[in-house]
Amino acid sequence: MAGSSEEAPDCGRGVVIMDDWPGYDLNLFTYPQHYYGDLEYVLIPHGVIVDRIERLAKDIMKDIGYCDIMVLCVLKGGYKFCADLVEHLKSISRNSDRFVSMKVDFIRLKSYRNDQSMGKMQIIGGDDLSTLAGKNVLVVEDVVGTGRTMKVLLSRLEKYKPNMIKVASLLVKRTPRSDGFRPDYAGFEIPNLFVVGYALDYNEYFRDLNHICVINEHGKEKYRV
């Protein structure tokens, strides 16, 4: 992205969006009219998201190799990222000389109420995680913040003795509360902002927004529960 973001030398950080990045004016883009007045600015346009995911798919396939993959999608925020990532992975497989089997399973994690972390993570679903035994597992998450949520999930998954676990996260937040966890594959490293769009929600709103945007105080209050 132009201006205050850069591709970090450490590609594991993804595309780094700096703290002073002003974002894009909302008037430059189309977005649902029912969200007019609820957003500050566009942080990452939809087209940039799609291009970055395509590159992540290439990196994942190069790293993991052409072996069968069990994709574990973290719902609900990760479903759009997961769907687009899996489609790119399948495209790479279709254009290779070896078929790669990809199965997708789902789990839900609950750690936010309004814009605050509840501290304790609730895991919903995952009754069939025993099927992960001996598999190459790719966990697909929307946002890694402190890293504590993902560490709890990974400790749960490791009990089922998969062959390998890798984590792909669309976003990684720079937060002083981080415990140092980093996903194996990161789309974007962003400031410590509460963002919505591209299936990322605020109390179930904004999932229908294609761009990743920063919600304003009016939006938070309007959709607060």
Side-chain angles (χ1 to χ4, degrees), residues 59-197:
D59 291 343
I60 290 169
M61 198 66 85
K62 180 180 179 181
D63 186 26
I64 294 180
Y66 288 82
C67 58
D68 295 345
I69 303 172
M70 169 63 79
V71 178
L72 186 62
C73 177
V74 180
L75 298 173
K76 297 180 182 176
Y79 80 85
K80 193 168 181 60
F81 173 42
C82 183
D84 288 347
L85 180 63
V86 168
E87 186 56 39
H88 284 300
L89 289 170
K90 287 182 177 179
S91 177
I92 295 172
S93 174
R94 283 194 297 267
N95 290 284
S96 73
D97 57 0
R98 187 185 185 282
F99 171 72
V100 178
S101 172
M102 269 169 282
K103 296 181 180 179
V104 182
D105 201 355
F106 302 92
I107 192 169
R108 281 192 62 191
L109 310 177
K110 184 71 173 178
S111 61
Y112 277 91
R113 182 179 179 87
N114 294 320
D115 61 339
Q116 300 297 317
S117 173
M118 297 188 298
K120 186 176 181 180
M121 184 188 72
Q122 180 184 5
I123 299 178
I124 304 171
D127 293 335
D128 298 325
L129 292 181
S130 60
T131 61
L132 300 180
K135 302 290 179 59
N136 300 308
V137 179
L138 177 66
V139 178
V140 180
E141 170 71 292
D142 54 357
V143 182
V144 169
T146 64
R148 289 191 292 270
T149 298
M150 185 53 63
K151 279 191 171 181
V152 172
L153 175 59
L154 292 179
S155 67
R156 181 77 60 88
L157 299 181
E158 286 168 357
K159 295 178 181 179
Y160 296 96
K161 302 186 183 306
N163 179 58
M164 174 182 65
I165 305 178
K166 297 286 188 178
V167 178
S169 182
L170 178 62
L171 304 176
V172 177
K173 288 186 181 181
R174 289 189 301 276
T175 169
R177 297 183 298 132
S178 172
D179 64 1
F181 174 82
R182 303 288 303 188
D184 300 282
Y185 312 100
F188 302 86
E189 182 182 290
I190 67 172
N192 190 24
L193 301 167
F194 196 89
V195 293
V196 294

Side-chain angles (χ1 to χ4, degrees), residues 192-204:
N192 190 24
L193 301 167
F194 196 89
V195 293
V196 294
Y198 195 73
L200 305 173
D201 77 302
Y202 178 78
N203 294 327
E204 300 300 327

Side-chain angles (χ1 to χ4, degrees), residues 24 26 29-36 39 41-51 53 77 79-81 84 170-171 188 195-201 205-214:
Y24 296 98
L26 289 160
F29 301 90
T30 58
Y31 63 100
Q33 187 173 350
H34 46 267
Y35 295 137
Y36 284 11
L39 302 167
Y41 55 85
V42 174
L43 184 68
I44 312 173
H46 180 253
V48 177
I49 299 169
V50 172
D51 283 358
I53 293 173
Y79 80 85
K80 193 168 181 60
F81 173 42
D84 288 347
L170 178 62
L171 304 176
F188 302 86
V195 293
V196 294
Y198 195 73
L200 305 173
D201 77 302
Y205 292 92
F206 300 101
R207 294 195 192 276
D208 56 337
L209 178 64
N210 282 333
H211 314 293
I212 293 178
C213 300
V214 176

